[in-house]
Amino acid sequence: MARPDRKSLRAALPGIVRILRRFSPQIRQQKNLLVVSFVALIAEIFLHLLEPWPLKFIFDYILLPGFKTQPLGIPFLDELSPFALLTTLTLGLVAIAALRATAAYFSVVGMSLAATNILTEIRADLYSHLQRLSLSFHHKAKSGDLITRVTSDIDRLREVTVMAVMPLLAHSLTLVGMIAVMFWLHWELALIAIAVFPLFIFSTMRLTKRIRQVVRQQRQREGAMAATAAESIGAIKIVQALSLQDMLENTFFSHNRQSLKDSAKAQRLAAGLERMVELLVGVSIALVLWRGVQLVLRQSLTPGDLLVFVNYLRIAFKPMRQLAKYTGQIAKATASGERVLDVLDIVPDIRDARGAIEAPPLKGTVQFKNVSFAYEQNKSILKDLSFVVYSGQHVALVGPSGGGKSTLVSLLLRLYDPLEGKILIDAHDIREYKLHSLRQQISVVLQDSILFAASVKDNIAYGCLQASDQEIEQAARLANAHNFIMALPQGYDTILGERGATLSGGQRQRIAIARAAVRQAPIVILDEPTTGLDQENEHAVNEALERLTKGRTTFLISHNLKPVVQADLILYIEGGKILEKGTHIELIRLGGRYAAMYALQSTEGNGLMAMR
Ligand code: ADP
C-alpha cells in the first residue's frame, strides 16, 4: 500500500490526527488513567522548574549576600539564620527531588499502562478484522506483510507512545515553562539564551529529514524480508524441490545487508546530530555567561539567577539532543499506525447485509439464477449460470481445469458474492442470512485438507465447536478414521504437526471428512477429495464420503468420473459456462463433451487394466 513520504513531524501530523480520531473510542476507555498521568506530568514539570531554585537562594542569601538585591519575600525564610536557611533549602532540595520522582513515576507508569491497554484492544480489533476480510483481499495481500502489521507495527506504536511521545510532550512543556521563567527573571538574557534556537531547529530539521528517509527505507526492506521469509517457509516443499533456496537466499541476504547498512547510516546521522546539539549547548551557555556575568557585576542580576539560567539551559538542551530520535520514531510510528489503519479501514466486501437474519435449519435446495462472477474487472469467470439442485440430491461438476468449478462452490459458501444474479437456498437469497449461520450449514472437504497444529480431537471439533467427545468419535468412525486415530501415540489427543505433516494424505483426508461430518450440515461440498490418493486410501475415503453425503445436498468436483456416474445431476462446465446438464445416461446419450471425456477415461482405465 503506497504511503506518502513523511518528511517531518509536521507532515506526519495528519496521520497522527487520523490515528487519534480512529482510535478515540479505545483512547476514551482509558480516560481516567490518562488524566491522572497528565496531572502527574504537569506536577513533574513544575517541580523540574523548581529544582535549581534552592541553589539560587543558597548563592544569593548565604554564599554571596553582598549581591542580595531584595529579601526573599517569604517572611518565614527571611527571619532564619544563615545556617537554618541552609538546612531548610537543602531539605527543600531533597523534597523537590522526592516529589518529582513520585510524580514522574505516576506519569510514566500511568501512560505506559494506558498505551498498552489501548494497543492491546487495537491489536485484537485488527486480528478479528483480518479474519473477516474476504478471500479476494487475502489473495492479493502478502501474509508476511499482514503479520508484521499485527505484530511489529502494533508493538512499534506502543513502544513509541511510551518511549517517544510522552517524553517529547514532557520535554516540550518543560521547555516552554523554562523559557517563561527565564523571561520573567531577565528578558534580555533570556533572548541571548534562546538565540541559538533557530540554528538548532535548522540543523535538527535537516538531519532528521535524512534520518527519517533512511529509516523508512529500512522499514520497507524489513517488510519485504518478512514477506520473502513467509513465502518461502510457507512453500518450503516447492522451494526445495525446485532448488530455489539459493535464489531466495540471495534476495533475502541482499535485503538484510542493505537493512544493516541503512541502520548504520541512521545511527551515524543521529550521533552526528547529538554532537551538534552538544556544541550548541556550549555556545549558548558561553553566551549567557559572557553577558550574565556582566549583568551580575552591574548588579542587575544575582549570581543565583545566572545559576538558574545555566541550569535551565542544560536541562532544556539535554532532551533536545534526542529530539531527532523522538521525531524520527514518531514519524515511524505514524507510518506503522497508518499501516494498521489502512487494513482496519478496508470494509469487508463480504459481510452481513443490513437486516440479515440467522439462517433457519436449511433443507438444502440450491438454486443458481443467472449467476455471473469475475475476480477482476472485465475478466469474466462465470457467465450466466442457472440450475437447481433439490434437497438431498448430488450434483457433480466436471470439465477442464480453470473452467470455474471451484469458483462456483466458493460463491455458495459466500467466500465471494456474484456480480450478477443470485443464489438461493430453500428459495431464499443466501445474502439474507448472516454469514456464519450460512457457512455453519455447509461442510467442505477439499483436495488438500488443511489440518491445524492441534490435537486430532480439536481438528475434528473445528467442524462444530460444540461437538461432544462422543460425537467426535462418531464422526471419526463414519470417516473410517477411528482405527488409525486410536493407533496414534496419544489417540485423539495426539498433536498434529503443522499442516498435518505427520499423517498420510489419505489419513488427513479422513480427518477432514470427520470434521465435515461432525458438522451435520445439510449441504456438503467436495472439491477433488480423492485426487492424489493411492487406491487403498481412495477406497477408504470414498466409503467415508458416501456415508458423509448420504441424504445431503452434495456438490462434487471431480476429474475422476467414477463417482460422478451416480450423481443426480451432472454439470459440464467449461470457460465459465454450463455446456451440458443432465444425468449420466442423458449426457452419454447426448454424445457431447461429457460423453467424450467418459469414453476417454474408460479406455484409459481399460488400457491400465490391460497393462496390469
Ligand atoms: P476449476 O475449479 O474449474 O479448475 P477455478 O474456479 O479454480 O476453476 O478457476 C476458474 C478461473 O478463475 C481460472 O481461470 C483461474 O485462474 C481463475 N481464478 C481462480 N481463483 C482466482 C483468484 N483468487 N483470483 C483471480 N482469478 C482466479
Side-chain angles (χ1 to χ4, degrees):
M1 247 162 270
R3 268 172 290 133
D5 189 27
R6 303 242 164 264
K7 291 206 173 60
S8 68
L9 192 59
R10 207 180 55 219
L13 267 181
I16 295 177
V17 171
R18 180 177 166 220
I19 293 168
L20 288 180
R21 189 175 303 152
R22 179 64 168 70
F23 295 139
S24 64
Q26 287 93 341
I27 295 173
R28 231 171 286 138
Q29 276 178 8
Q30 305 297 324
K31 203 171 63 193
N32 294 345
L33 202 53
L34 285 171
V35 168
V36 171
S37 328
F38 195 73
V39 170
L41 180 69
I42 297 292
E44 184 201 344
I45 290 167
F46 177 73
L47 291 161
H48 209 164
L49 295 184
L50 220 54
E51 241 169 12
W53 285 77
L55 205 61
K56 167 192 152 64
F57 290 137
I58 290 173
F59 263 76
D60 289 352
Y61 291 82
I62 303 170
L63 288 179
L64 306 162
F67 284 95
K68 189 167 161 185
T69 48
Q70 78 236 41
L72 276 178
I74 309 169
F76 162 71
L77 290 180
D78 280 333
E79 285 158 21
L80 291 177
S81 67
F83 182 73
L85 186 61
L86 177 65
T87 315
T88 314
L89 287 174
T90 42
L91 283 178
L93 208 67
V94 176
I96 291 173
L99 283 174
R100 188 164 90 83
T102 315
Y105 175 83
F106 280 108
S107 80
V108 168
V109 170
M111 293 226 187
S112 324
L113 206 60
T116 308
N117 288 346
I118 291 168
L119 285 157
T120 308
E121 285 271 311
I122 293 175
R123 175 178 280 163
D125 281 359
L126 181 65
Y127 182 72
S128 324
H129 188 75
L130 275 178
Q131 304 259 54
R132 253 179 261 122
L133 283 178
S134 65
L135 281 189
S136 39
F137 168 81
H138 283 288
H139 270 302
K140 282 183 214 131
K142 294 196 165 135
S143 59
D145 180 62
L146 290 181
I147 293 167
T148 358
R149 288 177 204 232
V150 179
T151 52
S152 59
D153 277 324
I154 295 271
D155 276 339
R156 164 155 304 141
L157 267 177
R158 184 169 49 86
E159 261 168 39
V160 169
T161 350
V162 177
M163 318 256 285
V165 176
M166 279 163 36
L168 192 66
L169 183 71
H171 297 326
S172 313
L173 291 177
T174 314
L175 188 64
V176 171
M178 285 180 180
I179 292 177
V181 176
M182 288 197 285
F183 271 92
W184 175 69
L185 280 175
H186 201 282
W187 69 266
E188 190 199 330
L189 199 57
L191 274 183
I192 292 176
I194 62 169
V196 295
F197 272 40
L199 206 60
F200 167 78
I201 291 170
F202 172 73
S203 52
T204 321
M205 275 191 0
R206 208 173 50 88
L207 274 172
T208 39
K209 188 171 142 189
R210 287 185 51 201
I211 294 176
R212 244 190 314 279
Q213 278 164 352
V214 175
V215 163
R216 174 153 313 106
Q217 269 174 16
Q218 191 193 351
R219 181 92 200 102
Q220 275 163 358
R221 220 163 257 129
E222 276 168 16
M225 269 196 294
T228 315
E231 257 169 29
S232 54
I233 292 166
I236 193 73
K237 208 159 139 187
I238 284 289
V239 170
Q240 293 189 348
L242 297 181
S243 291
L244 295 176
Q245 298 100 309
D246 288 346
M247 194 268 289
L248 289 170
E249 272 173 18
N250 284 341
T251 322
F252 189 85
F253 288 172
S254 89
H255 279 312
N256 201 10
R257 260 196 309 273
Q258 199 55 40
S259 168
L260 181 79
K261 269 193 203 155
D262 287 344
S263 159
K265 191 169 167 191
Q267 275 167 6
R268 221 170 37 237
L269 287 169
L273 183 64
E274 276 195 35
R275 301 295 91 79
M276 172 80 126
V277 174
E278 272 166 18
L279 185 68
L280 288 176
V281 180
V283 172
S284 179
I285 291 179
L287 284 174
V288 165
L289 280 178
W290 182 76
R291 181 74 191 136
V293 171
Q294 293 178 29
L295 291 171
V296 171
L297 292 176
R298 257 192 262 145
Q299 301 252 343
S300 79
L301 195 74
T302 69
D305 289 340
L306 190 59
L307 207 67
V308 171
F309 263 87
V310 172
N311 238 302
Y312 276 7
L313 281 180
R314 280 201 181 284
I315 302 178
F317 271 108
K318 209 164 101 193
M320 284 213 186
R321 276 182 234 167
Q322 295 181 324
L323 197 68
K325 197 170 88 191
Y326 292 147
T327 54
Q329 280 181 349
I330 291 174
K332 236 160 76 168
T334 311
S336 284
E338 291 203 278
R339 278 163 56 77
V340 171
L341 276 191
D342 285 341
V343 175
L344 278 176
D345 282 351
I346 298 170
V347 181
D349 4 331
I350 307 285
R351 57 179 189 275
D352 290 337
R354 208 174 280 164
I357 53 162
E358 293 282 327
L362 301 174
K363 293 198 177 63
T365 295
V366 177
Q367 182 178 13
F368 274 56
K369 243 181 163 175
N370 308 103
V371 170
S372 298
F373 176 75
Y375 288 104
E376 287 149 40
Q377 273 182 345
N378 307 326
K379 259 183 85 181
S380 162
I381 298 286
L382 296 180
K383 295 157 200 152
D384 199 23
L385 301 190
S386 297
F387 62 88
V388 189
V389 192
Y390 293 101
S391 167
Q393 278 193 333
H394 289 191
V395 55
L397 311 177
V398 298
S401 287
K405 305 178 293 291
S406 302
T407 306
L408 188 154
V409 295
S410 16
L411 294 185
L412 183 61
L413 277 165
R414 273 201 83 197
L415 298 178
Y416 305 95
D417 276 337
L419 286 185
E420 283 168 39
K422 52 186 166 180
I423 301 167
L424 310 167
I425 297 184
D426 301 344
H428 284 275
D429 192 322
I430 55 176
R431 282 171 290 203
E432 289 173 22
Y433 298 133
K434 290 196 172 157
L435 262 183
H436 80 102
S437 68
L438 169 76
R439 290 183 185 159
Q440 236 165 31
Q441 301 198 50
I442 303 178
S443 287
V444 184
V445 180
L446 303 173
Q447 178 184 345
D448 193 11
S449 288
I450 303 284
L451 299 183
F452 294 90
S455 67
V456 173
K457 188 157 83 183
D458 286 346
N459 262 293
I460 297 177
Y462 287 149
C464 171
L465 295 175
Q466 305 83 19
S468 66
D469 284 0
Q470 204 184 353
E471 285 167 316
I472 288 173
E473 192 184 313
Q474 229 169 12
R477 281 183 194 278
L478 177 145
N480 270 343
H482 178 71
N483 289 340
F484 82 76
I485 293 174
M486 291 311 285
L488 291 173
Q490 278 97 34
Y492 280 87
D493 294 318
T494 310
I495 305 285
L496 299 178
E498 256 194 7
R499 297 183 181 218
T502 45
L503 296 178
S504 78
Q507 291 174 329
R508 279 164 45 186
Q509 211 54 343
R510 280 178 272 162
I511 291 191
I513 294 172
R515 182 194 289 165
V518 81
R519 218 167 198 175
Q520 310 253 359
I523 300 172
V524 179
I525 293 174
L526 310 173
D527 194 345
E528 304 274 8
T530 54
T531 308
L533 299 184
D534 58 52
Q535 236 173 8
E536 194 182 332
N537 263 314
E538 187 182 328
H539 179 70
V541 169
N542 269 332
E543 210 177 70
L545 287 175
E546 224 165 87
R547 284 188 228 142
L548 168 70
T549 56
K550 197 161 179 218
R552 304 180 201 273
T553 309
T554 303
F555 285 75
L556 166 70
I557 299 177
S558 180
H559 277 108
N560 177 359
L561 296 185
K562 232 178 348 183
V564 169
V565 174
Q566 298 138 19
D568 300 294
L569 177 69
I570 298 169
L571 304 176
Y572 183 92
I573 297 175
E574 191 175 328
K577 287 194 190 138
I578 300 177
L579 296 188
E580 294 170 16
K581 177 158 66 171
T583 59
H584 175 71
I585 310 263
E586 285 165 354
L587 293 188
I588 291 290
R589 242 183 245 145
L590 186 73
R593 293 171 199 240
Y594 174 80
M597 192 173 160
Y598 184 73
L600 192 69
Q601 280 199 8
S602 317
T603 49
E604 267 175 9
N606 289 339
L608 279 178
M609 291 293 215
M611 272 164 70
R612 282 184 188 164

